Amino acid sequence: METNLNNMYLFRAIENYPYELEKAVEALNYALAYDPENVRGLHLMGKVYSEQLNDYEITKSYFEKAIAINIEASYVYPDYIMVLINNHDYDVAQKVIDYAKDVKGIDRALIALYQGYIMEAQEDYEAAQDALKEAKQLSMNNDFSYYVDDVLTRVDKKRKERNNKERVKENEEKKELEKEKEASNGWFKNRLNGLL
């Protein structure tokens, strides 16, 4: 009987999230009261804290608990990885991605997209482009492919801007060195002319 009641509250929470947040959270609290180790309930509560409250530390604890209970819960990993990226925990996110790639039922294209996000955030635009191309290759959805194309365009633009800034900086440094060299040569020539 408790399992049916627990599932009823869980279904009610899923049905109401995110449109009727108050009802969703109330039902979710009841569901987790009946079964505090319900992976779907923990995952949804993590999403509430992440998407609605932007409290990434509490979100991480819900996702970590869900994964600890069922390490093969493929639906938890994408949300957990995104929270880690938003929280700038890139090293942890990378470790989770490395593990998640082998989880059965995982959306490998989405995981590759998140790999690209990590590389983009760390300003390794070439690696980001490689990961995004892999995501596009693994994609089985046209809308997802179009989205990845947009992300690739954004990353390429950032890469070009960085390269232009580096080129401008190098040119300025060369000009500065030439000016210093001219100044030192000019002093030496003036000195020699003064002696002659």
Side-chain angles (χ1 to χ4, degrees):
M1 181 66 180
E2 276 188 30
T3 303
N4 289 338
L5 196 55
N6 175 44
N7 287 340
M8 182 186 72
Y9 283 120
L10 186 59
F11 291 144
R12 201 174 289 164
I14 291 169
E15 180 183 346
N16 286 313
Y17 185 78
Y19 306 107
E20 294 187 43
L21 201 54
E22 184 179 348
K23 289 181 181 178
V25 171
E26 181 181 358
L28 197 50
N29 281 327
Y30 281 125
L32 288 173
Y34 281 104
D35 182 7
E37 294 189 351
N38 184 303
V39 176
R40 288 255 181 222
L42 292 168
H43 174 243
L44 187 56
M45 187 62 89
K47 286 181 74 160
V48 168
Y49 275 95
S50 169
E51 297 170 0
Q52 305 302 323
L53 303 173
N54 295 328
D55 191 336
Y56 298 127
E57 291 302 321
I58 293 177
T59 300
K60 285 182 350 184
S61 69
Y62 276 108
F63 288 158
E64 287 166 359
K65 187 173 181 183
I67 289 171
I69 293 167
N70 181 2
I71 201 160
E72 297 297 317
S74 62
Y75 52 89
V76 178
Y77 287 98
D79 292 323
Y80 182 42
I81 292 166
M82 200 64 222
V83 164
L84 292 169
I85 292 170
N86 288 339
N87 204 39
H88 306 286
D89 294 330
Y90 304 124
D91 293 335
V92 178
Q94 185 60 56
K95 289 176 185 175
V96 173
I97 283 174
D98 292 340
Y99 179 80
K101 287 179 181 178
D102 296 327
V103 172
K104 271 191 169 184
I106 197 82
D107 184 349
R108 292 179 57 218
L110 186 59
I111 298 301
L113 174 67
Y114 289 168
Q115 177 72 59
Y117 285 166
I118 292 173
M119 296 297 119
E120 179 185 4
Q122 294 176 330
E123 297 183 4
D124 186 354
Y125 300 121
E126 289 78 13
Q129 287 178 316
D130 292 342
L132 293 168
K133 287 175 184 173
E134 180 186 356
K136 189 173 177 183
Q137 186 69 31
L138 293 169
S139 172
M140 298 175 81
N141 178 325
N142 286 338
D143 291 335
F144 183 83
S145 292
Y146 298 143
Y147 176 74
V148 173
D149 283 337
D150 288 344
V151 176
L152 272 165
T153 302
R154 179 184 72 222
V155 169
D156 190 49
K157 184 178 177 183
K158 286 181 178 181
R159 183 186 58 80
K160 287 177 181 176
E161 287 175 2
R162 183 192 62 198
N163 289 345
N164 287 340
K165 285 180 183 176
E166 288 175 358
R167 218 173 293 129
V168 166
K169 187 177 178 182
E170 285 176 10
N171 288 339
E172 288 175 357
E173 287 173 358
K174 283 181 184 178
K175 287 179 183 177
E176 201 59 41
L177 284 174
E178 288 174 8
K179 284 182 183 178
E180 287 176 10
K181 192 174 184 181
E182 274 185 35
S184 66
N185 285 342
W187 174 84
F188 185 68
K189 285 181 184 177
N190 288 338
R191 183 75 176 148
L192 282 176
N193 286 336
L195 291 174
L196 296 174

